[in-house]
Amino acid sequence: MHHSASSVAVPITGTEVATKVATSPTSPDILVTTKHSKLGKSVPKEDNIRDIIDVDSFKFEDTLEHTKTPAPACKGYTLSFPDSKSPHTVYPFALHDTLVLPWDYMVKNSAMSLFARSCTGHSEGELLACQSCRQLPKNKILEGVLARLAEGVHENANFAYHGFSGLQEMLRRKNQQIDFYRLRGLNQAKNLLSKATALSEQKRLVTAIASGKVNRVDRIITMGLRQKKGVRRLLASLEAAAQGYYHPKSFTEEEDMRALLLWKLGGNQVAQINH
């Protein structure tokens, strides 16, 4: 059994032409339009048309877009430290708060890299750093930093120019000086205290001698010095003699001759009184 389809003339604008495409005996035909006919002509139209495919509506790209490879990131200027010193202890980090430095720093795996403030973030050509970072070694402030890293920082320089190791060394020496002067001052204070005490005891000895309470003071002093007594023991002997507890038994030759004369002139009683 064959299906008949009535055709109707449909005006087409532009240059579109409807072409009948047979799909299967039991399904209605499909019209495919192409732009080949001139304006004013008509083509038959099926009543049971389901889809109209516009072939010219598909666009194909003949060329492929080539993606650009981004430039490698700028590695900055690698700061080298002499004698395998660590940047954590040698680099003057406090200098960034004291001066206006035209670079920033980054420490990774014990390696320090400096980046210029005007760094573009991308390297140029086969180089690992941009032009701004490559110009950092010519900076006068950075030249001074490199010179101090190699030769050391003067001890009278500002604290900002020292690294952590330099500050630790200065603090250690400062503590030694403080301990030395502290102990020295303590020793001097002890010496002054002992001298002041001795001076006060000598004053007391002079006062005791001048009081007149002790007879034959010269004999007491002579015997005390012969026995190598100090100021305190001499003062104790004078106090004992003033209270009657101490009587020196030593006499000079003059005293012996005077006692002998009085004994011959006055007898035993006068000699006893003299004694």
Side-chain angles (χ1 to χ4, degrees):
M1 182 176 181
H2 296 283
H3 295 276
S4 61
S6 61
S7 59
V8 180
V10 179
I12 300 176
T13 62
T15 58
E16 294 181 354
V17 177
T19 304
K20 183 185 295 185
V21 179
T23 57
S24 64
T26 60
S27 62
D29 298 335
I30 299 175
L31 292 181
V32 179
T33 62
T34 57
K35 298 178 181 180
H36 293 290
S37 63
K38 294 182 180 180
L39 183 62
K41 294 182 180 181
S42 61
V43 295
K45 178 181 178 182
E46 297 290 338
D47 293 336
N48 297 328
I49 294 176
R50 293 183 178 180
D51 296 320
I52 299 176
I53 301 174
D54 189 359
V55 180
D56 295 334
S57 64
F58 297 98
K59 296 181 180 179
F60 299 94
E61 295 292 338
D62 295 335
T63 59
L64 298 177
E65 295 182 357
H66 299 282
T67 58
K68 296 183 180 180
T69 304
C74 178
K75 300 296 182 181
Y77 171 70
T78 302
L79 189 63
S80 60
F81 295 88
D83 301 331
S84 300
K85 295 180 180 179
S86 174
H88 300 284
T89 57
V90 179
Y91 182 79
F93 292 97
L95 203 61
H96 288 266
D97 290 336
T98 306
L99 302 177
V100 180
L101 302 180
W103 70 81
D104 294 320
Y105 59 86
M106 182 182 69
V107 180
K108 185 177 182 180
N109 297 329
S110 299
M112 174 170 281
S113 300
L114 304 182
F115 297 90
R117 293 290 177 88
S118 58
C119 177
T120 59
H122 302 285
S123 60
E124 298 177 358
E126 298 180 355
L127 302 175
L128 298 178
C130 63
Q131 184 178 0
S132 300
C133 294
R134 294 199 308 270
Q135 296 296 328
L136 283 178
K138 299 180 180 180
N139 185 274
K140 297 297 182 181
I141 301 178
L142 185 57
E143 288 180 357
V145 173
L146 295 176
R148 285 186 291 271
L149 290 177
E151 302 173 2
V153 186
H154 195 274
E155 60 181 359
N156 294 332
N158 196 315
F159 291 151
Y161 291 91
H162 294 269
F164 289 125
S165 60
L167 294 175
Q168 289 175 351
E169 179 64 20
M170 293 177 62
L171 182 60
R172 185 184 64 82
R173 286 184 293 179
K174 187 73 68 177
N175 289 335
Q176 289 180 352
Q177 292 179 356
I178 292 174
D179 294 339
F180 170 76
Y181 288 115
R182 182 185 299 169
L183 295 176
R184 183 177 180 181
L186 182 60
N187 293 332
Q188 289 180 350
K190 289 183 178 179
N191 293 332
L192 291 175
L193 181 61
S194 61
K195 290 180 179 180
T197 304
L199 184 60
S200 63
E201 291 177 351
Q202 290 178 358
K203 288 182 178 180
R204 291 176 59 191
L205 179 62
V206 173
T207 303
I209 293 174
S211 64
K213 296 180 180 180
V214 181
N215 297 325
R216 306 179 72 242
V217 177
D218 57 336
R219 298 310 304 161
I220 296 176
I221 300 299
T222 301
M223 293 180 62
L225 294 177
R226 189 180 302 170
Q227 296 173 0
K228 298 181 179 181
K229 292 182 178 181
V231 178
R232 293 182 181 180
R233 295 184 64 186
L234 289 176
L235 184 61
S237 298
L238 289 175
E239 292 178 354
Q243 295 177 5
Y245 299 117
Y246 176 68
H247 301 281
K249 301 298 182 180
S250 176
F251 301 97
T252 62
E253 184 178 359
E254 182 180 358
E255 291 175 345
D256 291 339
M257 296 302 293
R258 186 183 299 113
L260 182 59
L261 177 61
L262 291 175
W263 174 68
K264 288 184 178 182
L265 294 177
N268 291 334
Q269 293 181 354
V270 176
Q272 185 67 31
I273 293 172
N274 182 45
H275 179 69

